C-alpha cells in the first residue's frame, strides 16, 4: 500500500465523517460549544471539590491520629498506675500469706516430730 494514498484516504474519510457529523448534529455549533464549555467547567469544579475534600480528609486523618496517640498514651499511663496501685494493695496480703504458710509449715514439722 502506498503511504501517500493511505494518507489521502485517511484525510478524505475524516473530512467526510466530520461533515456528516456536523450536518446531523441535533444542536447548533454555538449550542454545542456552550454545552462543552459548561461540561468542562463542571468537570473542573468537580476536580477542585475533590482536591478540597482530599485535603480536608487528610487534615482530619492527621488530627484523628494525633488524638488517638494521645489517648493511647494516657490510657497506657493510667493502666500502669492502676497495676502499680493494685500491686501495692496486694503486697501486704501476699506477705501475710507467706508468713501464714511458713507458720503452717513449722506447725506441720512440729506435729511430725511430736508424732515420731
Amino acid at each position: 500500500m502506498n503511504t501517500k494514498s493511505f494518507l489521502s484516504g485517511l484525510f478524505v474519510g475524516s473530512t467526510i465523517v466530520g461533515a456528516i457529523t456536523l450536518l446531523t448534529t441535533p444542536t447548533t455549533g454555538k449550542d454545542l460549544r456552550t454545552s462543552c464549555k459548561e461540561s468542562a467547567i463542571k468537570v473542573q469544579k468537580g476536580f477542585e471539590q475533590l482536591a478540597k475534600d482530599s485535603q480536608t480528609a487528610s487534615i482530619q486523618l492527621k488530627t484523628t491520629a494525633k488524638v488517638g496517640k494521645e489517648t493511647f498514651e494516657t490510657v497506657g499511663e493510667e493502666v500502669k498506675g492502676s497495676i502499680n496501685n493494685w500491686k501495692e494493695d496486694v503486697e501486704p496480703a501476699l506477705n501475710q500469706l507467706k508468713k501464714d504458710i511458713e507458720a503452717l509449715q513449722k506447725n506441720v514439722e512440729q506435729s511430725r516430730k511430736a508424732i515420731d
Side-chain angles (χ1 to χ4, degrees):
M1 176 185 267
N2 189 355
T3 305
K4 186 175 181 180
S5 64
F6 175 74
L7 292 176
S8 296
L10 186 63
F11 177 73
V12 170
S14 298
T15 304
I16 292 171
V17 169
I20 291 172
T21 302
L22 287 174
L23 293 174
T24 59
T25 303
T27 58
T28 65
K30 184 177 182 179
D31 292 340
L32 187 60
R33 284 190 300 272
T34 303
S35 176
C36 287
K37 285 180 185 178
E38 289 173 357
S39 295
I41 290 170
K42 286 180 183 178
V43 169
Q44 183 180 6
K45 287 181 180 180
F47 280 125
E48 289 172 358
Q49 186 64 39
L50 179 63
K52 287 178 185 177
D53 291 346
S54 297
Q55 188 177 22
T56 302
S58 175
I59 291 169
Q60 288 176 346
L61 181 62
K62 288 177 184 177
T63 303
T64 302
K66 182 179 178 183
V67 170
K69 180 181 176 185
E70 292 171 358
T71 302
F72 281 123
E73 288 174 355
T74 303
V75 168
E77 290 172 6
E78 290 177 2
V79 168
K80 286 180 184 177
S82 295
I83 290 172
N84 288 335
N85 290 339
W86 177 77
K87 284 181 180 178
E88 290 173 3
D89 290 344
V90 171
E91 191 172 345
L94 286 175
N95 290 335
Q96 185 61 43
L97 282 173
K98 287 179 184 177
K99 289 178 185 177
D100 291 345
I101 290 172
E102 289 173 0
L104 282 173
Q105 286 176 341
K106 286 180 182 178
N107 285 339
V108 169
E109 287 177 15
Q110 288 175 355
S111 295
R112 281 187 188 161
K113 286 180 183 178
I115 293 176
D116 290 337

